[in-house]
Amino acid sequence: MRTYKQQVEEAVGFLKQHIKRPPRIGIMTGTGLGESIESLTVKNVFDYRKIPNIPVSTVQSHSGRLISGTLEGVEVIAMQGRFHLYEGYSPKEVTFPVRVMQLLGVKVLILTNAAGGLNLSFKPGDIMVIQDHINLTGENPLVGLNIDEWGDRFPDMTNVYDRNLSAIAERSGQACGEELQCGVYAGLKGPSLETSAETRFLRQNSADAVGFSTVQEAIAGVHAKMKILGLSIITNINDPDHPTADTVEEIIDVAQRASSKLSAIIQTIIKELAKDE
Ligand code: HPA
C-alpha cells in the first residue's frame, strides 16, 4: 500500500507532465460555483478520474475537474468540485487537492463555498469574506503522523485567513459594485441542515455563516503555509425565530446566480495580486 504522501506525489508527478509553469494561486470552488472562474485562460483540463489517486466527487452540482491556466497573467490552478466529509470522504481525502496544490507550488489558496447566513443583516446572494472559522466537524486533516516536509505538527491558527487578501477582496468587491460582508464561518459535517436550536447555538457563538466545507482545506492550507482567502456566497438566511425550510435546489440556484459576480471579484483580486508578481 502506498502512503498518502506517495499518492499525492504520484498525482503531482502526473500533473507536472502537463502543467509546465508552477501555479501560484489555487482556487477551490464550492456548490453551484464551478463556473466562478469564467475569465480563466484555460491551458489544461483534467477530469478528476484521469488524475491518479484523486477521490471522485459524487455531488451533482460539482463537475469534478482540475483546470490550469492563467488569469491576469498569473498561473492559476482551479479545482471545480470539492470533496465533503458528508459524502463519506476522510479529512485526508477532502484535503488531497490542497496537498496537490502545495506540491505544485501554490502560495495563495482561494476557497469559495455556499453557506447559510446566520447574521440577520445578511441577505441571499451576499458574498462574505471569511474572517475566521469554527471547526465543528469533529475532524481534522492533520490527525496522524505529521509529514514534517509538508508542515508543522502544531500549526498556529490565529491568522488562518490572510488579512491583506481579505482587504484586497473587499476593495475588489467595491470595484465591482458589491459591498462584501465579512464574518465567521462555522464548518459542520452535514449533510442534514441545522435545527433551529443549532442555529441559535451557532449565532450565540459568534458565527455569521454556516456550511459543510472549507475548514478542512483551510487547516491543510495553513499547515502548508499558504495564504488563504475564504469567500462564502450566502444562499439562504437561517433565522431560528422565523424558520423556513431550505432546499438544496434553492441553495444551488442562488449560488449559481451569484457566480458571475464572484467570478468578476476573483478576477479583480488576481489582477491586484498580479501587480506584485
Ligand atoms: N447550512 C449548511 N450549509 C449550507 C447552507 C445552510 O443553511 N446553505 C448553503 N450551504
Side-chain angles (χ1 to χ4, degrees), residues 81-136:
R82 59 150 63 90
F83 310 106
H84 300 88
L85 296 172
Y86 66 74
E87 295 173 90
Y89 293 114
S90 70
K92 290 245 184 325
E93 287 174 321
V94 169
T95 52
F96 193 97
V98 179
R99 297 308 185 179
V100 167
M101 288 180 180
Q102 175 181 10
L103 298 200
L104 285 172
V106 165
K107 301 286 180 256
V108 172
L109 179 61
I110 302 179
L111 301 169
T112 74
N113 61 42
L118 299 168
N119 184 325
L120 298 184
S121 70
F122 293 178
K123 48 184 194 323
D126 277 358
I127 297 173
M128 182 188 90
V129 178
I130 303 179
Q131 276 179 317
D132 205 348
H133 76 223
I134 309 174
N135 177 13
L136 293 169

Side-chain angles (χ1 to χ4, degrees), residues 31 114-117 188 192-194 210-212 233 235-236 238 246 251:
T31 307
L188 306 188
S192 51
L193 295 163
E194 301 71 44
V210 56
F212 303 146
I233 302 278
T235 54
N236 52 293
N238 297 339
D246 300 312
I251 289 173

Side-chain angles (χ1 to χ4, degrees), residues 25-121:
I25 299 178
I27 306 175
M28 294 205 52
T29 60
T31 307
L33 299 171
E35 305 310 319
S36 60
I37 30 172
E38 287 158 2
S39 40
L40 190 77
T41 306
V42 176
K43 287 194 203 155
N44 294 288
V45 180
F46 307 92
D47 195 293
Y48 283 175
R49 280 172 293 230
K50 297 266 161 56
I51 305 171
N53 311 320
I54 219 164
V56 172
S57 181
T58 58
V59 182
Q60 14 117 15
S61 58
H62 291 226
S63 39
R65 296 188 308 170
L66 184 151
I67 299 176
S68 77
T70 55
L71 225 167
E72 300 289 345
V74 184
E75 298 292 328
V76 169
I77 186 162
M79 311 282 303
Q80 289 185 327
R82 59 150 63 90
F83 310 106
H84 300 88
L85 296 172
Y86 66 74
E87 295 173 90
Y89 293 114
S90 70
K92 290 245 184 325
E93 287 174 321
V94 169
T95 52
F96 193 97
V98 179
R99 297 308 185 179
V100 167
M101 288 180 180
Q102 175 181 10
L103 298 200
L104 285 172
V106 165
K107 301 286 180 256
V108 172
L109 179 61
I110 302 179
L111 301 169
T112 74
N113 61 42
L118 299 168
N119 184 325
L120 298 184
S121 70

